[in-house]
Amino acid sequence: KEADTDEEKNYDGKSIKEVREMAVEFQIKNNPFVKASPTVKHFKVIERTDKKLLMRVLNKCHSIPYADCFGVEEEWYCETPADNPNAKCCALRITLGVIFYKSTMMKGMI
């Protein structure tokens, strides 16, 4: 789907090409209080060419403690080798970070 709002149309000064949303449930082991974490993943395609794909993914969990205080953002960067554009391989770099929406005493533990 196309980006709808002005906030969705721009990300760090770059226009967003496409937006997707996916609901998943992650199983959590060795935790007596939480067995599964329903999560919504918001995919935003920032750049897509024949040689490059840049995508940002915002993950929002709902049933874990302090879930309204933070989100996890991933950046996926996939590129084919510049010297061989017809190669059947690519380099994939995935980085992630925690973004805090509200201040919390548990910030150091998260």
Side-chain angles (χ1 to χ4, degrees):
K1 96 178 189 185
E2 293 293 321
D4 296 329
T5 64
D6 287 339
E7 182 179 314
E8 287 182 337
K9 290 180 183 176
N10 288 309
Y11 193 89
D12 289 341
K14 298 177 184 174
S15 64
I16 294 175
K17 310 294 185 220
E18 193 175 335
V19 177
R20 296 272 190 250
E21 186 175 294
M22 180 174 66
V24 295
E25 186 171 284
F26 293 105
Q27 301 299 316
I28 299 174
K29 297 181 179 180
N30 300 325
N31 187 329
F33 304 109
V34 179
K35 298 295 180 199
S37 175
T39 303
V40 177
K41 296 172 91 61
H42 300 274
F43 294 87
K44 297 177 182 177
V45 176
I46 308 297
E47 184 177 349
R48 180 177 30 194
T49 64
D50 292 340
K51 298 180 182 182
K52 189 186 323 183
L53 173 67
L54 176 61
M55 185 168 55
R56 300 272 171 103
V57 183
L58 178 61
N59 301 292
K60 293 185 180 179
C61 302
H62 296 291
S63 67
I64 61 171
Y66 300 98
D68 60 333
C69 295
F70 70 97
V72 177
E73 185 175 77
E74 306 170 24
E75 180 180 87
W76 294 43
Y77 181 75
C78 183
E79 185 174 33
T80 59
D83 57 342
N84 189 0
N86 296 325
K88 294 184 179 181
C89 63
C90 65
L92 176 64
R93 181 185 69 202
I94 301 173
T95 56
L96 60 96
V98 178
I99 298 173
F100 286 92
Y101 306 122
K102 296 193 252 181
S103 180
T104 175
M105 292 176 15
M106 304 303 284
K107 189 174 185 177
M109 295 179 75
I110 295 172

